[in-house]
Amino acid sequence: MRDLNYDLKNLCRRNRDGSYSTQANRHQRLQQMANDLHALGFRQLRSRSLKPKHVDALLALGRRNQLNAGTIKNRMTDLRWWAEKVDIKSVIQPSNADYGIARRQYLPPQSKAIQLQAKILQQIQDPFVRLAVRLQAVFGLRRDEAIKLHAADSRSG
């Protein structure tokens, strides 16, 4: 095991911040960053040898790999955690805007909705299934919700 990977593993083991899931995800991302730094040619690194050039190299790699903004922000959070734990917070800028990281997109830029086409609807033989598909399209129901609906009898009162 490389020195940096070992140091980061021990750092995560000693500092149990967050939930188990957060800890596991942070450990995994830090190990990936250590592997990336090694692949980028940075050898003989230790956890205390983090420098701005390493942060810049990881950001450039993320941009080359076309990682989305959320992934890069998660990695920056882990880098800041790492820098804080080894008491070298000054190597990383406090804001993602300083690095030109885009804002996270929570909604897709265009709708993923599929429009119901009349010719496809006509190909459905069963009238109840056809009605269920129309209910899905009009009211945005899920498939099983549309099937479970029962038409009310207007004659009963």
Side-chain angles (χ1 to χ4, degrees):
M1 182 177 273
R2 295 184 200 106
D3 290 338
L4 181 59
N5 292 81
Y6 184 73
D7 283 353
L8 291 175
K9 180 178 181 171
N10 285 332
L11 192 66
C12 289
R13 190 179 297 148
R14 284 192 311 266
N15 298 285
R16 301 251 182 223
D17 302 346
S19 68
Y20 291 121
S21 175
T22 300
Q23 293 172 32
N25 291 337
R26 180 187 303 122
H27 177 262
Q28 185 178 13
R29 285 190 297 259
L30 286 172
Q31 291 298 314
Q32 181 61 49
M33 284 188 265
N35 293 337
D36 290 344
L37 285 170
H38 185 79
L40 289 169
F42 295 105
R43 307 281 193 251
Q44 305 299 323
L45 288 177
R46 301 301 297 236
S47 62
R48 295 213 26 92
S49 59
L50 181 66
K51 305 240 180 319
K53 66 181 178 181
H54 303 126
V55 175
D56 294 337
L58 287 169
L59 280 172
L61 178 66
R63 288 186 178 118
R64 271 196 312 272
N65 292 341
Q66 297 178 343
L67 299 178
N68 68 29
T71 303
I72 293 175
K73 285 184 175 197
N74 288 342
R75 290 182 179 197
M76 289 302 293
T77 300
D78 295 333
L79 279 172
R80 286 188 183 96
W81 180 87
W82 170 9
E84 178 186 340
K85 296 305 174 188
V86 294
D87 201 28
I88 51 173
K89 290 192 285 190
S90 61
V91 299
I92 301 176
Q93 298 294 323
S95 171
N96 288 333
D98 296 332
Y99 292 106
I101 299 172
R103 293 184 59 96
R104 213 181 280 255
Q105 281 190 328
Y106 291 102
L107 298 174
Q110 68 274 357
S111 174
K112 294 181 180 181
I114 299 171
Q115 297 298 322
L116 182 61
Q117 297 175 1
K119 71 176 188 176
I120 293 176
L121 190 60
Q122 290 172 354
Q123 292 175 356
I124 299 174
Q125 300 298 320
D126 188 341
F128 295 109
V129 174
R130 189 179 316 124
L131 182 61
V133 170
R134 287 190 61 214
L135 284 169
Q136 282 180 267
V138 173
F139 295 110
L141 299 175
R142 294 184 180 99
R143 180 82 169 128
D144 72 332
E145 293 171 338
I147 290 172
K148 290 177 184 175
L149 281 178
H150 294 284
D153 189 2
S154 62
R155 292 174 285 175
S156 65

